[in-house]
Amino acid sequence: MQNIVEIFFLSFKSIASTGRQGFQTIKIFSYILCYLFFINMEAPLSAWPWEKLKSFKYLLYGPFVAKVMYSRYQEDSIKATWCLHVLILCSLRGLMYQLWSSFSNMLFLTRNRRIMKQGVDFKQIDKEWDWDNFILLQALMASLAYYTFPNVVDVPIWDLNGFMVITILHVVFSEPLYYYLHKCFHGSYLFRHYHSLHHSSAIPQPFTAGHATFFEQILLGAVIGIPILGSHLMGYASVAMIYSYVLVFDFLRCLGHCNFEIIPHQLFLAFPFMKYLIYTPTYHSLHHTEMRTNYCLFMPLFDVVGNTLNPKSWDMHTKASIESGKKGRWVPDFVFLAHVVDMTSALHVPYVFRSFSSTPFSTKLYIIPLLPLSFLAMLVMWLYSKPFLNTFYYLRGYLHQTWVVPRFGFQYFLPFAAEGINKQIEEAILRADKLGVKVISLAALNKNEALNGGGTLFVNKHPNLRVRVVHGNTLTAAVILNEINPKHITEVFLTGATSKLGRAIALYLCTRHVRVLMLTSSTERFQKIQKEAPAEYQKYLVQVTKYQAAKNCKFYYLVAQEYNIYN
């Protein structure tokens, strides 16, 4: 770029004396320079001004707080109420998006209503980390509007006519303006430099609605501000109207990005015209998958007028709505049956704070005030709850789900709670069997030997189970045994032989006529395992007490504790 600038000025110097023709040449060179300059730069207004501040960006709310505090010592404090309203409205908007995010991540409520079946990965969560930038931006835009129109605070609390006026202004100005701008942002240059950031989120989520570039959010602020400012200039503004309009606007934005269908198709069957006045999550999801259609803000009417309506919109909505009532249509291949560890870990679930659940486990100061809510949730689950779906993911085309037994870690050590916990685990196993799940794995305390014998209690009680009941030890043993070919092995030296893992390996190998040298000093534990083997195979299990017994053995397996295996 520096070389181009030098060439430009040298050219200017050499042709400056050539008169009119020379200045035309300079003009052409200027256009070329500007073009080269802009294509080698980041698009103007694409980055957020406070991007490098990270969490310190919230200090920009400081002047609003200071203004409110300072106004308490002034006689005419009414002038600072706008700051208080801005802070309250920003808090309510943040809460709106958080509640929608929590709701959309409650898979035990929304699993059958999901539109895109894939899960949200951590890369998307990281990209959307600063989703709330637009709330801060629009707070600053509200300040600018106040200083431009200082009498904006002199409005009543309530004016019914204002609701009608702002609705008309929204339909007449905001809807077509957004439709036109949105369509423009799907043009080649604007999409590549601005709007592609929003569409980089593979799975729409409520926070995705706020994930956009600085320039886009400035324009969105104008789309929101026009009806508010217009109703004020017409003399119909009120505090209730402004709060309602902004919060309803956010509500509908979250609705479109929630990725589960909540609007019943019966509504459009009863009132056909409604499908042109309000979009659905399915409708907007189609825009994210087939981007040249469904550009509207909230009203599909403008897609109809602009001939950009996706013809599959209504059929997909009807199908999604009908299938949402069918239970068990989202059947996993594998289920991991977990439980809650403690009060703090309970707050790591995605439907509390999605961002918090995506970071390594730690206790944050801002989480401490939520501990009473965690305690209350524990009591409610103890009184009435059943195993529920918490998370899911796809691995090599297989659907894996994590179900949670609604019990906390300390409850597993209460003698009177054992029966109830086993009942919860049994219910989960029977449900998985009914759904057609292939494997269900018991985690941590759910496989406690003292509680249910590592799951054998349920297998013995229900001998006709189709689902395989396993746990981490048996899964690890299965991986090892899958690598062992008994045809080429006649003798194995095994350490950690009396652990759950060693026991499973020893019992399998002896039935394949493999002589197992089990290293253990406990004759009692060895004999207990030996008796579990069929009588004709017990001779293949041999107790040894020293490592020297392995000096002539070609194959050995070291089982450290119950988890780490070295071959």
Side-chain angles (χ1 to χ4, degrees), residues 263-278 314 317:
I263 298 180
H265 68 287
Q266 292 89 342
L267 175 66
F268 296 151
L269 293 177
F271 307 99
F273 66 91
M274 286 292 294
K275 65 183 180 181
Y276 300 107
L277 302 182
I278 184 69
W314 313 130
H317 171 255

Side-chain angles (χ1 to χ4, degrees), residues 292-544:
R292 294 294 180 181
T293 58
N294 296 6
Y295 292 112
C296 77
L297 179 55
F298 306 130
M299 299 175 64
L301 172 65
F302 291 91
D303 279 310
V304 175
V305 174
N307 197 30
T308 54
L309 176 69
N310 193 311
K312 297 184 290 186
S313 299
W314 313 130
D315 292 338
M316 281 192 63
H317 171 255
T318 301
K319 182 181 177 182
S321 178
I322 292 174
E323 290 186 349
S324 66
K326 297 179 180 179
K327 295 184 178 180
R329 69 184 186 93
W330 203 34
V331 180
D333 299 284
F334 174 86
V335 168
F336 183 70
L337 188 61
H339 62 82
V340 190
V341 178
D342 54 32
M343 299 297 169
T344 305
S345 66
L347 298 173
H348 273 259
V349 292
Y351 49 84
V352 177
F353 291 120
R354 189 186 71 169
S355 56
F356 189 47
S357 67
S358 69
T359 57
F361 180 83
S362 61
T363 303
K364 305 291 185 180
L365 290 177
Y366 60 84
I367 287 294
I368 294 177
L370 295 178
L371 290 178
L373 294 178
S374 181
F375 181 78
L376 180 62
M378 181 273 295
L379 293 178
V380 171
M381 288 194 297
W382 201 350
L383 292 173
Y384 176 77
S385 186
K386 58 183 180 180
F388 60 90
L389 172 61
N390 184 42
T391 57
F392 76 96
Y393 61 93
Y394 285 90
L395 180 64
R396 297 179 180 177
Y398 294 98
L399 175 59
H400 297 63
Q401 292 182 351
T402 299
W403 296 0
V404 178
V405 173
R407 294 295 183 269
F408 285 63
F410 76 92
Q411 294 171 300
Y412 284 77
F413 300 96
L414 302 176
F416 60 85
E419 183 179 352
I421 293 173
N422 278 331
K423 185 177 180 181
Q424 294 276 352
I425 298 172
E426 182 179 10
E427 181 180 345
I429 293 173
L430 294 177
R431 180 184 167 200
D433 187 63
K434 183 178 179 180
L435 288 175
V437 177
K438 296 179 177 66
V439 178
I440 182 168
S441 176
L442 307 183
L445 297 176
N446 287 332
K447 64 175 176 60
N448 191 342
E449 286 286 336
L451 182 68
N452 51 45
T456 56
L457 172 68
F458 313 112
V459 176
N460 295 333
K461 185 177 180 181
H462 303 281
N464 296 322
L465 285 175
R466 293 172 298 170
V467 62
R468 297 282 185 173
V469 181
V470 300
H471 51 69
N473 304 118
T474 54
L475 285 176
T476 306
V479 171
I480 295 175
L481 296 175
N482 189 56
E483 299 297 322
I484 297 176
N485 187 353
K487 293 181 180 180
H488 306 295
I489 300 175
T490 58
E491 188 176 58
V492 166
F493 180 79
L494 185 66
T495 69
T498 58
S499 67
K500 293 179 184 177
L501 192 55
R503 166 185 164 275
I505 295 173
L507 290 174
Y508 172 83
L509 291 177
C510 75
T511 60
R512 298 300 186 272
H513 301 91
V514 176
R515 188 167 181 262
V516 184
L517 305 179
M518 300 176 64
L519 179 65
T520 177
S521 59
S522 175
T523 303
E524 180 183 355
R525 296 183 68 177
F526 166 75
Q527 291 177 346
K528 183 178 179 182
I529 295 174
Q530 190 180 42
K531 289 179 181 178
E532 291 186 53
E536 65 270 26
Y537 299 116
Q538 291 181 6
K539 62 183 179 180
Y540 291 100
L541 299 179
V542 180
Q543 181 187 7
V544 296

Side-chain angles (χ1 to χ4, degrees), residues 100 113-116 204 251-264 268 278-289 294 298 313-314 316-317 320:
W100 265 104
R113 297 179 175 272
R114 290 181 65 84
I115 300 167
M116 296 184 186
F251 180 90
L252 294 176
R253 291 264 291 166
C254 291
L255 172 69
H257 291 86
C258 69
N259 193 38
F260 64 91
E261 191 51 71
I262 194 173
I263 298 180
F268 296 151
I278 184 69
Y279 75 166
T280 67
T282 306
Y283 185 95
H284 191 70
S285 291
L286 270 173
H287 171 71
H288 279 260
T289 54
N294 296 6
F298 306 130
S313 299
W314 313 130
M316 281 192 63
H317 171 255

Side-chain angles (χ1 to χ4, degrees), residues 134-343:
F134 78 99
I135 298 179
L136 175 56
L137 170 65
Q138 290 176 15
L140 299 175
M141 293 177 72
S143 303
L144 181 62
Y146 167 74
Y147 285 109
T148 306
F149 305 96
N151 61 336
V152 73
V153 295
D154 298 326
V155 295
I157 299 296
W158 177 270
D159 186 346
L160 186 60
N161 293 327
F163 289 90
M164 185 180 300
V165 171
I166 202 169
T167 301
I168 294 172
L169 291 175
H170 174 84
V171 173
V172 174
F173 291 101
S174 294
E175 286 284 347
L177 176 60
Y178 181 89
Y179 175 83
Y180 173 75
L181 291 173
H182 194 184
K183 195 172 181 180
C184 288
F185 271 105
H186 277 265
S188 178
Y189 177 83
L190 291 177
F191 184 84
R192 185 170 66 254
H193 290 89
Y194 295 99
H195 198 49
S196 61
L197 179 67
H198 178 69
H199 281 276
S200 66
S201 297
I203 308 299
Q205 293 285 288
F207 290 152
T208 307
H211 181 53
T213 57
F214 183 54
F215 182 50
E216 285 182 279
Q217 295 293 7
I218 290 176
L219 296 179
L220 183 64
V223 169
I224 298 176
I226 288 174
I228 296 175
L229 186 59
S231 61
H232 170 71
L233 295 175
M234 295 172 66
Y236 292 103
S238 68
V239 174
M241 180 207 72
I242 296 173
Y243 273 73
S244 299
Y245 178 73
V246 173
L247 293 177
V248 169
F249 195 100
D250 286 337
F251 180 90
L252 294 176
R253 291 264 291 166
C254 291
L255 172 69
H257 291 86
C258 69
N259 193 38
F260 64 91
E261 191 51 71
I262 194 173
I263 298 180
H265 68 287
Q266 292 89 342
L267 175 66
F268 296 151
L269 293 177
F271 307 99
F273 66 91
M274 286 292 294
K275 65 183 180 181
Y276 300 107
L277 302 182
I278 184 69
Y279 75 166
T280 67
T282 306
Y283 185 95
H284 191 70
S285 291
L286 270 173
H287 171 71
H288 279 260
T289 54
E290 302 178 21
M291 291 185 287
R292 294 294 180 181
T293 58
N294 296 6
Y295 292 112
C296 77
L297 179 55
F298 306 130
M299 299 175 64
L301 172 65
F302 291 91
D303 279 310
V304 175
V305 174
N307 197 30
T308 54
L309 176 69
N310 193 311
K312 297 184 290 186
S313 299
W314 313 130
D315 292 338
M316 281 192 63
H317 171 255
T318 301
K319 182 181 177 182
S321 178
I322 292 174
E323 290 186 349
S324 66
K326 297 179 180 179
K327 295 184 178 180
R329 69 184 186 93
W330 203 34
V331 180
D333 299 284
F334 174 86
V335 168
F336 183 70
L337 188 61
H339 62 82
V340 190
V341 178
D342 54 32
M343 299 297 169

